[in-house]
Amino acid sequence: MGIQERKERERERRRQQIIVAAKRVFSEKGFNKATMEDIAKEAELSPGTLYLYFKNKEELYASLSLRILQYLMIRLEHVNAEKNAGAERKLDNLMAAMYDVYDFDPLIIINMFQLQSSETLKNLSDELLTEIQDLSRNSIGAMADIFREGIDQGVFVDKHPVAMADIFWSLFSGVVLWEASKKVINKEKDFLKPTLATAFEVFAQGIKKKK
Amino acid sequence: MGIQERKERERERRRQQIIVAAKRVFSEKGFNKATMEDIAKEAELSPGTLYLYFKNKEELYASLSLRILQYLMIRLEHVNAEKNAGAERKLDNLMAAMYDVYDFDPLIIINMFQLQSSETLKNLSDELLTEIQDLSRNSIGAMADIFREGIDQGVFVDKHPVAMADIFWSLFSGVVLWEASKKVINKEKDFLKPTLATAFEVFAQGIKKKK
Amino acid sequence: MGIQERKERERERRRQQIIVAAKRVFSEKGFNKATMEDIAKEAELSPGTLYLYFKNKEELYASLSLRILQYLMIRLEHVNAEKNAGAERKLDNLMAAMYDVYDFDPLIIINMFQLQSSETLKNLSDELLTEIQDLSRNSIGAMADIFREGIDQGVFVDKHPVAMADIFWSLFSGVVLWEASKKVINKEKDFLKPTLATAFEVFAQGIKKKK
Amino acid sequence: MGIQERKERERERRRQQIIVAAKRVFSEKGFNKATMEDIAKEAELSPGTLYLYFKNKEELYASLSLRILQYLMIRLEHVNAEKNAGAERKLDNLMAAMYDVYDFDPLIIINMFQLQSSETLKNLSDELLTEIQDLSRNSIGAMADIFREGIDQGVFVDKHPVAMADIFWSLFSGVVLWEASKKVINKEKDFLKPTLATAFEVFAQGIKKKK
DNA sequence: GATGAATGAGTATTCATTCAT
DNA sequence: TATGAATGAATACTCATTCAT
């Protein structure tokens, strides 16, 4: 391992250290109430160091979303890698993957939406924004492949595969957000998983061709 | 009309004046970048006056969500008022109602989610929070009534009606948010309405009993 | 006096209050080491208030120069107003005026040069910059008038009047700066006035036509 | 050449390398906006290395002034070395020397004044400050020698030679600064050299005894 | 000597909120 | 009620300087 490579690895370790700290702090306090000093303390680094790895608070924040998307993409590739599985089985696996995504980072998916629907995006570097765009598109694309396959195999109803992917993702994220809201607003307990199960069931019934 | 009442009416007019201005400003700039002065200017009032009608920025913001919920509630009551309509027809009407909700305030529904899933809620007065809770619960309840009716009539599959309402609302808001995100992230055009139509179709197929 | 006018007057008073405080603090600490908080404290105001009257630190700073230039302009107009005085007498009066300018604000003239020769200028609003430009040009112009008169009357040597004004002003400011430097560098006592007297004498001899 | 000496020479080379880089960066950005990292990059060294050669940013900055003063001193010694030249010829040579000084570093002379009239000086090490003081005094002294000679020879008017040197230096630096200011403020072209020529002419006429 | 990653003190600026009028 | 000038707490970000390697 060259010295160059070792440094690069060290640098990546630091980035992750910061991201992990940021995740904790943002999750607890939200974007605005979380201060860079909070995050620095959590990461046991100085505020200045954060800026050696992330251009500004917003890019640090966006990096969290990226991490989720990266994880999502990996899981989707796994699902699609199973060549002999039929579309229906892949749909089951897709649903299972979404639970994993949620478990990977239950809170940050909320922040992800805060990010996307906010003015924040405009301050991101083109590089980061492009990366988010690409991953986002690829993820939807990977889901759409499953639906396309199902349509081709005659097991799913004939609708635009990308639209189906959009709807599937919307349903997932909508449920996650709404259940989280209910927890805060109504101080209800967390019913996400059963609700998500029912939601997926309804979706599956809705797209499967009746025999 | 007593003098008391007239004053009350005048006061309410001002509140609405401010809310309308706030809606515009928040929609354009988001919660954080919108300043109370921006809103005051838009409302053609002084900053101080805003505080005579709203305890703080967060309550003003939350009032916007309340307004949406109030509108939603009214539309739901309409749907449920049609006594002779069957559940399937009511479901159609419910879907139509959601388009109206979206048209009523296409942007603020996004802010509504920002609000709900954020740290902001914790600063609201109990009074306002209660009002939001009640409306939120009642809305879900009104939707659940439709699904319950359908189940009783044997036209919808037998799942918990409140869960179905949650899912329906999640789907709606999920699609609205996701399409908005895509517009920002991918600079795509606005495909909300066709996507929403497909989403509702899938949902309807998913909950209708097969004959 | 209308209410509008009274307010305007009050506003001007505040501006002057801030300028006076800023002058003291900048003179003592220089541009960089002086903090806005220092100035606010000196003015017995809060930091935020400073920004109600000056766009930023740099504009506040530049306003000090403006004040000197305004004073200079007034004195120059006085000198030129004396219609019957010959050019030689006006030159004497001009020199006397420069002492007054120095007395008006002995330290700030140094800051004025710091300002002009720095990157600071680039951050000024066009409005302020234009005002400085105009005053600066007009001042030189007013001095040039004196020299032009002298040339026309045949008492001063025939050189370009504006160049002579530039040189006169350069000599004045050069002496002020250099004597100030010597005080700091060599911890010498302040010999400005005799040096300035000699400088003016040399200048006067240099431009007067030999008979 | 001993190893000691070679090291010393190497060290001096590095110092000059840094000073040259610093000159470029300071000239372009001014003291405050120039960062040590900028200078390090320009010098193709690391920031830490700068501190092996200069105690801090301010000393590095001051070293630039020192370099000008050293050059000035050398030129003045040349002028005074010409034993047989009369005072008037030496004055001509002095003026020519000032053009060289300006050409040696047209921009840095401005920074030099920023330095001298600023808070910066107070942070310099005694050693450096003493060096600047000495050079500064010696330079003035060397000029004063010329004027003293002229007075003794009866060609210059009878004024204190040191005051005349101060005035000459003030005039030179005043013109340089003022012309630089005009370039920035009024976006005028650079008229330094003709203005300086006229200034020197006036000065020479002012101190020469009329026959 | 040379490096450059890490530091952390320092500060201009903003803006929600107040309160004298 | 309405105003809007004044407040002052809060914070992202910078950069001179250090020190382990």
Side-chain angles (χ1 to χ4, degrees), chain C residues 127-155:
Chain C
E127 198 192 356
L128 189 55
L129 193 57
T130 304
E131 215 170 341
I132 290 178
Q133 279 169 9
D134 289 349
L135 266 172
S136 172
R137 256 197 290 259
N138 291 346
S139 300
I140 291 293
M143 294 186 210
D145 287 344
I146 298 172
F147 297 118
R148 188 173 299 109
E149 198 178 325
I151 296 162
D152 290 346
Q153 293 170 3
V155 292

Side-chain angles (χ1 to χ4, degrees), chain D residues 34-99:
Chain D
T35 70
M36 290 301 266
E37 209 186 325
D38 289 338
I39 297 166
K41 271 204 188 107
E42 180 74 29
E44 297 182 340
L45 290 169
S46 80
T49 306
L50 268 48
Y51 287 86
L52 297 175
Y53 293 89
F54 298 92
K55 216 185 73 197
N56 53 39
K57 190 183 177 187
E58 274 148 348
E59 289 230 3
L60 172 53
Y61 192 49
S63 300
L64 304 186
S65 299
L66 199 61
R67 213 153 152 265
I68 282 259
L69 287 173
Q70 284 165 339
Y71 181 80
L72 171 63
M73 197 61 224
I74 289 169
R75 291 296 281 106
L76 291 175
E77 279 165 358
H78 267 250
V79 171
N80 275 321
E82 201 182 346
K83 287 298 167 200
N84 296 347
E88 284 185 303
R89 189 190 153 92
K90 281 191 183 170
L91 179 58
D92 287 341
N93 291 342
L94 172 61
M95 289 167 180
M98 299 318 282
Y99 285 104

Side-chain angles (χ1 to χ4, degrees), chain C residues 167-207:
Chain C
I167 291 164
F168 179 75
W169 172 251
S170 297
L171 180 62
F172 169 70
S173 53
V175 170
V176 169
L177 284 168
W178 177 237
E179 293 296 317
S181 292
K182 286 201 299 182
K183 265 207 296 190
V184 181
I185 298 187
N186 300 336
K187 280 147 202 166
E188 285 183 11
K189 272 174 56 190
D190 187 352
F191 283 121
L192 179 103
K193 292 210 175 164
T195 309
L196 204 50
T198 310
F200 282 161
E201 224 175 284
V202 169
F203 179 84
Q205 284 308 312
I207 67 164

Side-chain angles (χ1 to χ4, degrees), chain A residues 14 45-49 52-53:
Chain A
R14 264 284 157 57
L45 290 168
S46 78
T49 305
L52 296 177
Y53 294 87

Side-chain angles (χ1 to χ4, degrees), chain B residues 108-168:
Chain B
I108 215 67
I109 209 166
I110 294 162
N111 289 332
M112 197 172 137
F113 271 85
Q114 275 185 42
L115 171 75
Q116 287 173 356
S117 48
S118 88
E119 66 276 25
T120 308
L121 280 170
K122 287 152 199 165
N123 289 2
L124 299 185
S125 67
D126 284 348
E127 199 191 355
L128 189 56
L129 193 56
T130 304
E131 215 172 340
I132 290 178
Q133 277 168 12
D134 289 349
L135 265 171
S136 170
R137 256 200 290 261
N138 291 345
S139 301
I140 291 291
M143 293 185 212
D145 287 344
I146 298 171
F147 297 118
R148 188 173 299 108
E149 199 177 324
I151 295 162
D152 291 347
Q153 292 170 2
V155 293
F156 292 164
V157 293
D158 189 16
K159 295 181 191 298
H160 193 73
V162 173
M164 286 164 87
D166 279 335
I167 290 164
F168 180 75

